[in-house]
């Protein structure tokens, strides 16, 4: 499970981990949002998550602590917290919002918009570490204190972590 602020690199790391380990990648935003940024019904979302994490192995990125930790943490082998500085997160969120590149971590029919909701989202990103992260961490400790946690800060630590993992399908010499 990969946790962190918007723009912290959760989706990028999830795709890299999935490719490296040969595992399916679950982007929670694609399960939560309906076209036009409409929230999915709570039970529909939970059923989507339940189905997505049913296989024996997966990489899942996204917070949604109150809504899904009870489904994900019992099945998780590791929690990765991305400790990305908020300036970096804010810069990435703004840059990607103006990018025309397709995003696999967005639900179909959800396009980046530059409106009042976007400004509210930027405020969320800026205040995440003080306003949201403590609650997410408290829920993690309540739901899955036995699951090991790795904290990664910055591209070098992320790259070192990835490079230390086995490659899917690679044979080990004896």
């Amino acid at each position: 499970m990969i946790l962190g602020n918007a723009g912290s690199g959760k989706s990028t790391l999830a795709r890299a981990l999935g490719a490296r380990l040969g595992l399916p990648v679950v982007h929670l935003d694609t399960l939560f949002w309906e076209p036009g940024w409409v929230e999915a019904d709570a039970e529909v979302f939970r059923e989507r998550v339940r189905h997505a994490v049913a296989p024996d192995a997966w990489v899942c990125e996204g917070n949604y602590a109150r809504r899904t930790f009870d489904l994900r943490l019992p099945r998780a082998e590791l929690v990765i917290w991305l400790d990305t500085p908020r300036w970096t997160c804010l810069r990435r969120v703004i840059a990607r919002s103006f990018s025309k590149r397709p995003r696999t971590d967005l639900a179909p029919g959800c396009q980046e918009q530059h409106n009042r909701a976007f400004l509210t989202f930027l405020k969320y990103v800026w205040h995440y570490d003080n306003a949201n992260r403590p609650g997410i961490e408290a829920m993690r400790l309540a739901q899955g204190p036995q699951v090991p946690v790795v904290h990664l800060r910055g591209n070098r630590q992320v790259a070192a972590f990835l490079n230390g993992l086995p490659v899917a399908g690679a044979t080990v010499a004896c």
Side-chain angles (χ1 to χ4, degrees):
M1 286 178 44
I2 304 170
L3 306 175
N5 197 353
S8 64
K10 295 184 304 291
S11 297
T12 301
L13 177 57
R15 285 189 297 272
L17 276 172
R20 178 103 184 183
L21 301 174
L23 297 175
V25 176
V26 178
H27 299 285
L28 291 182
D29 280 347
T30 64
L31 303 178
F32 181 75
W33 294 106
E34 300 288 347
W37 297 105
V38 174
E39 291 184 15
D41 175 77
E43 278 310 308
V44 169
F45 176 52
R46 285 181 56 79
E47 186 55 36
R48 289 173 181 170
V49 173
R50 188 178 288 111
H51 177 74
V53 300
D56 289 336
W58 38 262
V59 176
C60 183
E61 64 88 9
N63 297 315
Y64 296 95
R66 280 178 267 126
R67 299 171 195 244
T68 67
F69 269 16
D70 65 317
L71 301 174
R72 296 184 294 147
L73 276 169
R75 302 188 49 73
E77 294 177 5
L78 180 69
V79 170
I80 300 171
W81 262 114
L82 290 179
D83 300 329
T84 309
R86 66 182 173 175
W87 279 108
T88 302
C89 293
L90 196 63
R91 178 180 47 82
R92 288 176 178 172
V93 166
I94 292 169
R96 77 181 182 200
S97 75
F98 288 99
S99 170
K100 298 299 181 196
R101 289 181 292 155
R103 292 181 47 201
T104 58
D105 59 322
L106 278 185
C110 293
Q111 304 300 320
E112 297 279 3
Q113 299 175 355
H114 302 104
N115 54 19
R116 182 172 289 222
F118 179 66
L119 294 176
T120 300
F121 184 62
L122 293 179
K123 185 176 176 183
Y124 166 87
V125 172
W126 185 253
H127 294 287
Y128 175 86
D129 285 330
N130 293 323
N132 298 91
R133 184 179 175 130
I136 294 169
E137 179 61 8
M139 292 208 68
R140 184 197 66 77
L141 288 169
Q143 295 280 335
Q146 76 286 356
V147 181
V149 178
V150 171
H151 288 266
L152 301 175
R153 181 178 177 96
N155 294 338
R156 285 191 189 121
Q157 287 185 3
V158 169
F161 177 79
L162 285 169
N163 289 334
L165 297 173
V167 176
T171 56
V172 177
C174 297

